[in-house]
Structures are given as structure tokens and as C-alpha cells.
């Protein structure tokens, strides 16, 4: 599994209506269908989730548990409803998506599942008409590549995996005026993962995945290492989040290893250095991360190696470098799609958990105050521990023979 909060003000759920590549069409656009409130017509994960220039949100492709999808939907913030829009030419999941300077959305690669499966094809979505157009394909088929919009309007895509699951060490750029792809110098290390690349204020793109982070210099077209291997945490990262902070630094949280899932670090482009910051209270991977209008970072949902899929939410304050607990999601989600809407609420959609499977729901999360954590929510914690809001919880003694409370907390043992 992989992929979602309540607030003091409350939570509103919105209906999603997915068409699995079927249904009537008018001028290439699927007609809207009446859906059941609070429930998707088709559960969806491993899709792209892109805000449009007019405030709407595009969800494209993905996986419904059985099929790779070509269907797409647009979310209308004013009504809180999803509407079917044009269908992609190819079903795809784990693809890259970027909104270009002209407002169109470029989707690249991904997989259809099975063999050969991995795609080199590229499509562009026109929001004004709701239609997709095929463009020139990439030179290399890429599953789960990393992509970023460059300041000059080009789109850089790097890495991913091939049809045999082997990591790719290559990169290319899309020229929107010509509609063509051009190879660029390859990164020094394999790259990949949606959301693992951000554009820095200094004109360089930061790619954070695997063991070694790298910078792509737009002016020279060359790659360079971004700090030491493993960063400040000294770990490999996959299934993590990479978030641009309002002050130009970059926050990296979580991942698939024990060290990665329990650490957070910040990259400073001015110094080229990584710095460990306070760790989140709950180790996690395959979560969502967004920056609120107030400049804080919310880390939502995801998965814990022993606790499973999470509903917990934590808030990172860039000014203090500290974390606090925020109200939890209505449903546990891994991996959720998430972004901040124009009204400041966070829209979460898709993902799944062990009980419900893939989720046929979306959720509008309203950022609110800190909610003290309970001992039960702390999973395998005993003794005295932080409640996440400046207080202390007494979670009972650690009763394993020969282990006092201090030792138990240090070793993460569970009370009985």
C-alpha cells in the first residue's frame, strides 16, 4: 500500500466521479455522470494531480486496483464537485505531469502495467477545451520519472525505470514551441519519483532521490552533486517528500528506510549544505506534503512500517524548525494526492488503506490548531513522551522484564 485531516472547524468531503475509459463523448470530452455523494465512481491511486491556472484541479490516469486508467477529471473548487473531462490517448499510471507556462498540462511516460508496459509517449491537456493531444514521444520510455518546469518554459525529465525495472541514468528536455524533445547531459546518479524535483531560486533544479541529491544548472546544462551522499541524515530516500519552503530552502521528509522515515532535513541553496532538523513524531513514507498559506508545511497520511497506513498529520514550522501534531484525516490514506486550494483548504484524493482498500473518496482538509496526541496514537510508545503540543503524556510503564522505562523508550518497546 501507499497514500490523507479534520480540524477544529470541521471537515467537508467531496464526491468524485470517475469514468473508467467508457461512457458517451461529445467533441472528445466524456459527459458528466451523476455520482454518489462522498464516493468516487472509481478508486484511484498512482495518478497525477495538478492545479490548473484558473484554480481548478486536474487528476489524470492512475490505477483502480485492477486497471490502468486513461480517464481524467477536473475538480471545481466553487462547487466542490469533480467533472469528467477528456480521456488520455493512453492509459497510464506512475507518470510525470507538469503545468507549463501557457497553462497546459504535459504528461510523460508512466506504465500501462504488465510487459512491456513502460511508455515513452507524451500528451498535453488543454484546460479550455478539456481535450488531450499527442505530442512527440520522449527518446526513452520512463516509468515513474522525475520532472520539473524550468524558468525558460522547457520541461526537464530525468531518470525513472525501464520495462525491466532497471533505473535509468538519462535526461531530456521538452521544447514547448517546437514540440520536440532534446537530450541533455545525464545525471551522475539514477533519478526518479513524482515530486522529487524542485526549481530553486538560483536557477538550478534540485533532484532528491536515492542516496545522492543532484543539481541541474539550467544555464550550463550540467549536473553537480548537492552536498554529500546521503545528505545530513546519511540515508537513501525513496517514498519521501521534497517541499520548497517560502524562504527558498527545501524540506525533505521520510522515506522507505528506518533512518529516512524517522528524519527530516533542510537543503540551503545559498550554502549548498544539508542540515538535520527536528524529526517528525511519526515515521512515515509515501505521504503527502503541502505548504499552507501561512508558510507551514503539513505532512499528511502515508505509511508506517509497523502501524500501517496513517491518518495522522504533522505541521512543520520553518521559522522554529519544530513539529506539532495537527488534526488527523477522516480516512487513512497512502499515497494521497494533495494540494492547497485557493481558499487555503487542502484537497486530498485517492490512495487506500488496509481495511477499505483503494479509497473512493476525496477529502477537504481545513488547517487548524494543534491537537494533543494520545498514547494509543503514538503506536509503540511507553513511558513519558511528548503530546506534540508542548505537553507530556504518561503512557504507562514498560513491563518487559529487565527493562526500565528509560530503556524502553530508547528502544521503542511497547508497553503491555
Amino acid at each position: 500500500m501507499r497514500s490523507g485531516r479534520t480540524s477544529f472547524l470541521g471537515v467537508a468531503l467531496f464526491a468524485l466521479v470517475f469514468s473508467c475509459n467508457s461512457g458517451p463523448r461529445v467533441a472528445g470530452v466524456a459527459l458528466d455522470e451523476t455520482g454518489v455523494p462522498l464516493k468516487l465512481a472509481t478508486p484511484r491511486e498512482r495518478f497525477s494531480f495538478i492545479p490548473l491556472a484558473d484554480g481548478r484541479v486536474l487528476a489524470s490516469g492512475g490505477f483502480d486496483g485492477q486497471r490502468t486508467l486513461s480517464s481524467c477529471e477536473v475538480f471545481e473548487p466553487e462547487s466542490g464537485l469533480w467533472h469528467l473531462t477528456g480521456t488520455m490517448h493512453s492509459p497510464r499510471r506512475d507518470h510525470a505531469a507538469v503545468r507549463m507556462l501557457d497553462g497546459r498540462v504535459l504528461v510523460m511516460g508512466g506504465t500501462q502495467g504488465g510487459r512491456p508496459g513502460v511508455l515513452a509517449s507524451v500528451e498535453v491537456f488543454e484546460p479550455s477545451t478539456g481535450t488531450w493531444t499527442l505530442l512527440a514521444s520522449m527518446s526513452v520510455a520512463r516509468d515513474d520519472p522525475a520532472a520539473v518546469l524550468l524558468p525558460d518554459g522547457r520541461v526537464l525529465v530525468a531518470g525513472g525505470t525501464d520495462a525491466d525495472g532497471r533505473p535509468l541514468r538519462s535526461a531530456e528536455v521538452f521544447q514547448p514551441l517546437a514540440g520536440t524533445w532534446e537530450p541533455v547531459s545525464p545525471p551522475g546518479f539514477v533519478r526518479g519519483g513524482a515530486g522529487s524535483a524542485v526549481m530553486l531560486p538560483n536557477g538550478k533544479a534540485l533532484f532528491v532521490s536515492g542516496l545522492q541529491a543532484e543539481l541541474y544548472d539550467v544555464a550550463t546544462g550540467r549536473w553537480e552533486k548537492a552536498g554529500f551522499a546521503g545528505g545530513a541524515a546519511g540515508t537513501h530516500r525513496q517514498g519521501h517528500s521534497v517541499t520548497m519552503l517560502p524562504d527558498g530552502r527545501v524540506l525533505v521528509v521520510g522515506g522507505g528506510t528506518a533512518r529516512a522515515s524517522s528524519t527530516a532535513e533542510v537543503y540551503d541553496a545559498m550554502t549548498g549544505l544539508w542540515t538535520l532538523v527536528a524529526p517528525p513524531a511519526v515515521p512515515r513514507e509515501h505521504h503527502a506534503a503541502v505548504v499552507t498559506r501561512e508558510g507551514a508545511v503539513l505532512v499528511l497520511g502515508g505509511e508506517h512500517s509497523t502501524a500501517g497506513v496513517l491518518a495522522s498529520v504533522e505541521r512543520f514550522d520553518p521559522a522554529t524548525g519544530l513539529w506539532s501534531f495537527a488534526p488527523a484525516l477522516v480516512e487513512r490514506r497512502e499515497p494521497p494526492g494533495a494540494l492547497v486550494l485557493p481558499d487555503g483548504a487542502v484537497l486530498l484524493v485517492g490512495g487506500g488503506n488496509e481495511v477499505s482498500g483503494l479509497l473512493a473518496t476525496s477529502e477537504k482538509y481545513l488547517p487548524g490548531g494543534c491537537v494533543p496526541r494520545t498514547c494509543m496514537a503514538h503506536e509503540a510508545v511507553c513511558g513519558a513522551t511528548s503530546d506534540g503540543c508542548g505537553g507530556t503524556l504518561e503512557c504507562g510503564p514498560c513491563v518487559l522484564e529487565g527493562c526500565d522505562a528509560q530503556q524502553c523508550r530508547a528502544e521503542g518497546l511497547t508497553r503491555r
Side-chain angles (χ1 to χ4, degrees):
M1 298 254 344
R2 300 194 260 204
S3 188
R5 161 171 153 153
T6 60
S7 72
F8 292 122
L9 301 178
V11 173
L13 298 178
F14 292 96
L16 287 167
V17 182
F18 282 103
S19 170
C20 298
N21 315 328
S22 63
R25 299 172 61 86
V26 175
V29 179
L31 293 175
D32 290 344
E33 298 175 358
T34 301
V36 177
L38 310 182
K39 186 176 182 180
L40 298 169
T42 303
R44 195 175 295 238
E45 68 171 357
R46 299 162 68 182
F47 58 98
S48 70
F49 198 51
I50 297 293
L52 302 177
D54 59 9
R56 296 179 298 157
V57 180
L58 172 70
S60 64
F63 183 63
D64 69 357
Q66 296 181 323
R67 297 172 293 176
T68 301
L69 304 172
S70 61
S71 63
C72 305
E73 298 187 56
V74 169
F75 178 77
E76 304 279 355
E78 293 80 7
S79 66
L81 298 175
W82 289 85
H83 301 286
L84 294 172
T85 188
T87 304
M88 292 187 294
H89 292 264
S90 296
R92 63 182 80 221
R93 64 188 194 230
D94 295 324
H95 48 290
V98 172
R99 192 183 84 200
M100 298 189 292
L101 294 182
D102 61 8
R104 297 181 299 160
V105 177
L106 190 73
V107 299
M108 303 147 275
T111 182
Q112 294 180 333
R115 291 178 58 89
V118 177
L119 301 169
S121 64
V122 176
E123 305 183 45
V124 67
F125 177 75
E126 173 53 66
S128 64
T129 62
T131 56
W132 292 88
T133 302
L134 280 171
L135 301 177
S137 295
M138 297 180 292
S139 63
V140 177
R142 303 176 187 274
D143 183 22
D144 199 25
V148 65
L149 177 68
L150 303 180
D152 58 13
R154 297 179 298 159
V155 176
L156 171 66
V157 62
T161 58
D162 65 13
D164 295 315
R166 295 173 299 196
L168 298 168
R169 195 176 68 84
S170 64
E172 49 194 307
V173 295
F174 178 71
Q175 300 278 3
L177 294 180
T180 57
W181 290 87
E182 297 179 359
V184 296
S185 60
F189 303 84
V190 295
R191 307 258 65 96
S196 62
V198 293
M199 194 67 215
L200 300 174
N202 63 3
K204 297 181 180 181
L206 175 67
F207 287 73
V208 186
S209 56
L211 187 64
Q212 177 66 67
E214 286 187 274
L215 295 165
Y216 177 80
D217 191 325
V218 178
T220 65
R222 297 185 180 278
W223 295 82
E224 60 190 74
K225 294 180 180 179
F228 297 110
T235 186
H236 173 282
R237 290 195 189 269
Q238 185 177 8
H240 56 298
S241 60
V242 181
T243 307
M244 176 69 71
L245 300 177
D247 60 10
R249 296 178 299 155
V250 179
L251 174 69
V252 177
V253 180
T257 69
R259 175 67 175 166
S261 67
S262 60
T263 57
E265 55 191 311
V266 167
Y267 178 75
D268 189 332
M270 297 295 292
T271 63
L273 297 177
W274 290 93
T275 303
L276 276 177
V277 294
V282 180
R284 67 185 77 212
E285 61 180 309
H286 300 129
H287 52 277
V290 299
V291 179
T292 69
R293 292 195 297 188
E294 295 73 32
V297 177
L298 294 178
V299 173
L300 312 103
E303 183 178 15
H304 182 282
S305 59
T306 58
V309 179
L310 303 168
S312 66
V313 178
E314 293 186 63
R315 181 189 294 107
F316 177 77
D317 184 346
T320 64
L322 300 177
W323 295 86
S324 60
F325 279 109
L329 300 170
V330 170
E331 293 194 84
R332 296 176 294 137
R333 295 178 183 270
E334 179 273 334
L339 53 78
V340 178
L341 296 172
D343 64 1
V346 180
L347 178 68
L348 296 108
V349 62
N353 59 53
E354 308 94 327
V355 176
S356 304
L358 292 187
L359 293 171
T361 59
S362 61
E363 182 174 337
K364 191 175 181 182
Y365 180 85
L366 304 175
C370 185
V371 175
R373 204 66 167 160
T374 65
C375 291
M376 181 176 296
H378 267 296
E379 317 300 346
V381 171
C382 56
T385 186
S386 170
D387 68 358
C389 296
T392 300
L393 288 173
E394 292 292 343
C395 291
C398 301
V399 299
L400 293 185
E401 185 176 354
C403 176
D404 64 23
Q406 184 176 359
Q407 290 173 329
C408 286
R409 289 198 303 274
E411 297 174 16
L413 300 177
T414 306
R415 77 183 194 279
R416 295 182 179 177

